[in-house]
Amino acid sequence: MEEDKMVRPYTICYLNCSADGRIDGEFFRAPESQEPTAIFRRRWLDMQADAIIYGAVTMAQFAGGMAAGPNSPWMCEREIFPKTDFVAPCRVSHYYVAVNIRGTICYDSPYIDKKGRGEHGIIHVLTEDVSDSYVAYLHRLGISYIFCGKKALEAGTMMDKLYRLFGIKKAIVSGGAYADWSLLEKGLIDEVILLLNPVVDGNPSAHPVFMRSPGMEAKAVGLELVEVEVVAGGGVFLTYRPKNTVKGFQ
């Protein structure tokens, strides 16, 4: 996607973290996290985003889990559809966007209604090497899908299509760490807003806010600090503006 021709949603990376910068783990259940997290959730709704972008593992928690191998529900699909974008009819104007390029997420329906956010449609992001059976599975369920690269995710193409095909003007990306980094390193995030809860759990396997996928270029992205806000319960909101942001919102 040529940068000078790109249009895309205004995109906010919005994350609830432990004080040691982890986005999952036991800290969510700690009493010290409850009051700041309630504020975090209220502000999420106040942002009125058109779409919520999740990586595969996070999205699977909102959908029907993940599957692979011969017992996957799509293995029975026999119809073959062309590997072109599919915009399914949708009765709502808000979406969950699943960045799951190989196709491993199971779905129960083309809509998700979780965490008091209201009903959302689904847009599944794929690359062209996905199996024909998974494409047929999404098509049969009436789930929209877009192709964004041949074998690797083209994040700019994804954001451009979300804007052009679905009219998404504001998006929240909120994990996992790989999805967050895929957008940040390409200059596709306008704001990074982190809530630091007053708790740590030292979990060595918990994910940080951002993480590069294996084989990705080693690089750093500078941030400009915009605001620091202390909220009830001892939480701290940090708002940053990435210095590499590519202008694309129109």
Side-chain angles (χ1 to χ4, degrees), residues 3 6 8 11 155 159 181-190 219 221 242-248:
E3 293 179 0
M6 182 189 296
R8 63 172 181 83
T11 304
M159 300 305 282
W181 178 256
S182 294
L183 295 182
L184 181 70
E185 66 106 12
K186 294 297 185 183
L188 301 171
I189 291 179
D190 298 277
K219 63 190 296 186
V221 176
K243 294 183 177 180
N244 70 337
T245 300
V246 175
K247 186 177 180 180

Side-chain angles (χ1 to χ4, degrees), residues 5-250:
K5 296 181 180 179
M6 182 189 296
V7 290
R8 63 172 181 83
Y10 187 90
T11 304
I12 302 165
C13 184
Y14 188 61
L15 292 162
N16 192 7
C17 313
S18 64
D20 52 344
R22 302 293 173 168
I23 59 174
D24 53 31
E26 293 301 313
F27 83 89
F28 279 117
R29 287 175 279 278
E32 294 83 359
S33 295
Q34 303 314 302
E35 193 169 12
T37 294
I39 297 170
F40 177 90
R41 290 173 176 166
R42 287 198 300 270
R43 292 189 180 186
W44 182 303
L45 298 177
D46 290 343
M47 282 191 277
Q48 298 184 328
D50 302 311
I52 301 165
I53 302 172
Y54 281 138
V57 174
T58 306
M59 184 66 179
Q61 297 172 16
F62 285 76
M66 299 182 74
N71 294 323
S72 302
W74 45 88
M75 294 306 293
C76 62
E77 303 287 347
R78 295 292 178 263
E79 193 169 1
I80 296 177
F81 292 91
K83 291 185 177 179
T84 55
D85 301 331
F86 173 60
V87 180
C90 187
R91 62 177 177 249
V92 293
S93 58
H94 294 80
Y95 293 91
Y96 281 105
V97 180
V99 185
N100 176 228
I101 59 177
R102 300 288 180 262
T104 58
I105 295 176
C106 304
Y107 294 103
D108 301 316
S109 94
Y111 298 96
I112 292 175
D113 189 350
K114 293 286 182 72
K115 292 192 174 183
R117 298 172 185 168
E119 192 173 56
H120 285 59
I122 300 167
I123 303 167
H124 197 105
V125 179
L126 301 166
T127 49
E128 293 175 18
D129 59 346
V130 70
S131 69
D132 289 329
S133 59
Y134 194 79
V135 174
Y137 172 72
L138 295 177
H139 204 102
R140 177 174 60 80
L141 289 173
I143 293 173
S144 297
Y145 50 84
I146 54 176
F147 289 90
C148 303
K150 294 186 178 299
K151 294 185 177 181
L153 174 68
E154 294 177 0
T157 298
M158 176 181 75
M159 300 305 282
D160 184 89
K161 287 185 175 183
L162 293 180
Y163 186 101
R164 293 181 191 271
L165 298 180
F166 299 92
I168 294 170
K169 295 182 171 62
K170 180 188 282 189
I172 293 172
V173 57
S174 191
Y178 296 111
D180 299 339
W181 178 256
S182 294
L183 295 182
L184 181 70
E185 66 106 12
K186 294 297 185 183
L188 301 171
I189 291 179
D190 298 277
E191 292 181 75
V192 176
I193 303 176
L194 308 177
L195 169 63
L196 300 185
N197 289 274
V199 60
V200 297
D201 63 19
N203 186 346
S205 61
H207 284 143
V209 175
F210 298 102
M211 185 179 294
R212 294 194 303 267
S213 297
M216 292 185 75
E217 178 187 358
K219 63 190 296 186
V221 176
L223 305 174
E224 176 189 353
L225 181 63
V226 176
E227 185 179 14
V228 178
E229 179 189 2
V230 179
V231 296
V236 179
F237 276 95
L238 302 174
T239 300
Y240 295 98
R241 184 175 296 113
K243 294 183 177 180
N244 70 337
T245 300
V246 175
K247 186 177 180 180
F249 177 74
Q250 296 186 358

